[in-house]
């Protein structure tokens, strides 16, 4: 059984298959990397709540940054969000993100 959350014309915010929740990449609002990272993580939390789970159950995150010079700033915010139960993680620099964002975060979690 597959359940989709926040389905639009091109994608869903999340897809649940069995006990696994796959989130679409989230870009945040704000001018700074700090603000955008905070907003990305807030959106991840909101979508996980809609799926009936929370960030404590995140297995993996994938992070894209538009400039590795911003990595430390993003990482400072990210680390504060995962002081306990940090997931496996990958981070990459990309040429450009949607909405000219500086940060995008995707997650895979286990449903409660």
């Amino acid at each position: 059984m597959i359940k989709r959350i926040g389905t639009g014309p091109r994608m869903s915010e999340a897809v649940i298959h069995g006990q696994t929740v796959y989130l679409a990449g989230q870009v945040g609002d704000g001018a700074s990397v700090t603000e955008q990272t905070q907003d990305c993580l807030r959106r991840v939390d909101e979508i996980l709540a809609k799926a009936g789970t929370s960030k404590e159950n995140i297995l993996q995150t994938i992070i894209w940054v538009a400039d590795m010079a911003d990595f430390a700033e993003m990482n400072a915010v990210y680390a504060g969000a995962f002081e306990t139960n940090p997931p496996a993680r990958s981070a990459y620099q990309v040429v450009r993100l949607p909405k000219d964002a500086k940060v995008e975060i995707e997650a895979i979690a286990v449903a409660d």
Side-chain angles (χ1 to χ4, degrees):
M1 183 94 170
I2 296 173
K3 179 180 177 184
R4 298 176 198 288
I5 296 171
T7 301
R10 293 174 304 284
M11 62 181 239
S12 297
E13 289 181 331
V15 175
I16 303 169
H17 180 256
Q19 292 296 106
T20 308
V21 182
Y22 302 89
L23 272 65
Q26 300 299 307
V27 295
D29 293 325
S32 72
V33 171
T34 294
E35 292 168 333
Q36 288 188 20
T37 304
Q38 289 168 337
D39 200 41
C40 287
L41 292 168
R42 179 190 59 76
R43 291 172 193 232
V44 165
D45 285 345
E46 287 175 357
I47 296 167
L48 289 171
K50 290 179 191 177
T53 191
S54 66
K55 72 179 177 188
E56 285 74 24
N57 292 325
I58 294 177
L59 301 171
Q60 179 183 31
T61 58
I62 301 171
I63 303 168
W64 294 275
V65 293
D67 188 340
M68 274 300 194
D70 295 329
F71 184 79
E73 185 177 347
M74 175 281 300
N75 214 35
V77 176
Y78 181 93
F82 293 102
E83 292 176 0
T84 59
N85 302 318
R89 183 182 98 168
S90 300
Y92 305 93
Q93 178 177 325
V94 294
V95 174
R96 190 171 178 196
L97 291 167
K99 301 181 181 179
D100 289 323
K102 299 175 184 197
V103 178
E104 181 173 357
I105 299 175
E106 179 180 310
I108 300 171
V110 174
D112 281 334

